[in-house]
Amino acid sequence: IVMTQSPDSLAVSLGERATINCKSSQSVLYSSTNKNYLSWYQQKPGQPPKLLLFWASTRDSGVPDRFSGSGSGTDFTLTINGLQAEDVAVYYCHQHYEGPWTFGQGTKVEFK
Amino acid sequence: QVQLQESGPGLVKPSETLSLTCSVSGGSVSSANDYWNWLRQSPGKGLEWIGYIYNSGSTKYNPSLESRVTISVDTSKNQFSLRLNSVTAADTAIYYCARQSTFRHCISSTTCYTGPNSFDFWGQGTLVSVSS
């Protein structure tokens, strides 16, 4: 499954909203459970990726509520409401619906 | 809190074998509920899943690397390892080990679905360069 993110990069002012899109080449919604096997990660320089959201919209423990996820099937969105300084990073979507697990190419979020 | 730490040579010669070990603490590589993964990240190919081992010996690999990859586990040391043979410069990357827990979704009292969840714990990563 090919994961395609857009845009590749975006510049956002402090306190403004950042929106990242992720499209999968086939649905990652498992109909029997009504779960999307789609996760979002944040990666800062020199660090491994950090899990932000799983099942497309469920925040991992300790993740601030300014991070939210939406979408189903093949189209997903990560929204950061009120960008903070510590949110400057690269964000990746990932599917674990079907092997091999795959990631989007990443979206770099910077300050405007 | 599960912690993972990669170790191994930072430089490997072309055509030789890359070998890395991931030491796990706060969790068990023997757990039937966890999948122990290797991934890598290079500027040219982004994040790439290599494969996992679970249930103390079952493995699944990325078809793009399957012919060259072996993942094994040492339960006595609570470690799992990666071997990638016949390396080329294209294998230069930061290599990560990571855990996937098992999800369990029950839609009725008799029907449940299980499988690997997201990557919830990662090692810090180790840079491996392939060069003569």
Side-chain angles (χ1 to χ4, degrees), chain A residues 2-99:
Chain A
V2 177
M3 308 298 289
T4 304
Q5 292 180 227
S6 62
D8 289 334
S9 65
L10 76 160
V12 179
S13 300
L14 200 63
E16 295 299 306
R17 176 182 297 171
T19 301
I20 300 168
N21 300 301
C22 174
K23 189 174 184 67
S24 57
S25 60
Q26 65 185 74
S27 176
V28 297
L29 171 65
Y30 192 51
S31 56
S32 297
T33 59
N34 200 35
K35 295 284 189 183
N36 288 283
Y37 291 16
L38 188 286
S39 305
W40 288 96
Y41 298 83
Q42 175 194 66
Q43 187 177 31
K44 298 179 180 179
Q47 298 183 17
K50 173 191 172 185
L51 178 63
L52 291 178
L53 301 164
F54 54 94
W55 306 132
S57 60
T58 302
R59 278 186 295 277
D60 196 26
S61 175
V63 174
D65 59 8
R66 63 179 180 272
F67 292 93
S68 62
S70 63
S72 185
T74 61
D75 293 279
F76 300 90
T77 300
L78 170 68
T79 301
I80 310 172
N81 278 304
L83 190 78
Q84 301 298 303
E86 61 266 31
D87 301 334
V88 169
V90 179
Y91 293 84
Y92 296 93
C93 59
H94 155 242
Q95 68 81 20
H96 57 101
Y97 176 86
E98 179 181 273

Side-chain angles (χ1 to χ4, degrees), chain A residues 30 32-33 35 37 39 41 43 46-49 51 53-55 92 94 96 99-101 103, chain B residues 37 39 41 47 49 52 60 62-63 96 100 103 105 107 113 116-120 122-124:
Chain A
Y30 192 51
S32 297
T33 59
K35 295 284 189 183
Y37 291 16
S39 305
Y41 298 83
Q43 187 177 31
Q47 298 183 17
L51 178 63
L53 301 164
F54 54 94
W55 306 132
Y92 296 93
H94 155 242
H96 57 101
W101 314 145
F103 293 81
Chain B
N37 291 262
L39 304 97
Q41 185 172 33
L47 277 163
W49 175 72
Y52 63 58
K60 186 170 184 178
N62 191 323
Y96 294 101
Q100 285 176 290
F103 70 80
H105 292 144
I107 61 172
Y113 296 89
N117 216 329
S118 311
F119 297 106
D120 54 1
W122 296 67
Q124 282 300 305

Side-chain angles (χ1 to χ4, degrees), chain B residues 35-99:
Chain B
Y35 297 74
W36 303 99
N37 291 262
W38 285 100
L39 304 97
R40 67 183 184 180
Q41 185 172 33
S42 61
K45 294 196 72 175
L47 277 163
E48 182 178 29
W49 175 72
I50 299 171
Y52 63 58
I53 190 165
Y54 69 102
N55 213 15
S56 298
S58 299
T59 55
K60 186 170 184 178
Y61 301 128
N62 191 323
S64 67
L65 296 167
E66 188 164 14
S67 63
R68 299 193 290 132
V69 172
T70 303
I71 297 177
S72 58
V73 67
D74 185 337
T75 56
S76 67
K77 295 181 179 178
N78 210 29
Q79 296 174 334
F80 64 104
S81 298
L82 168 71
R83 286 175 60 86
L84 179 67
N85 56 37
S86 304
V87 298
T88 70
D91 296 309
T92 293
I94 298 172
Y95 285 76
Y96 294 101
C97 54
R99 187 194 82 160

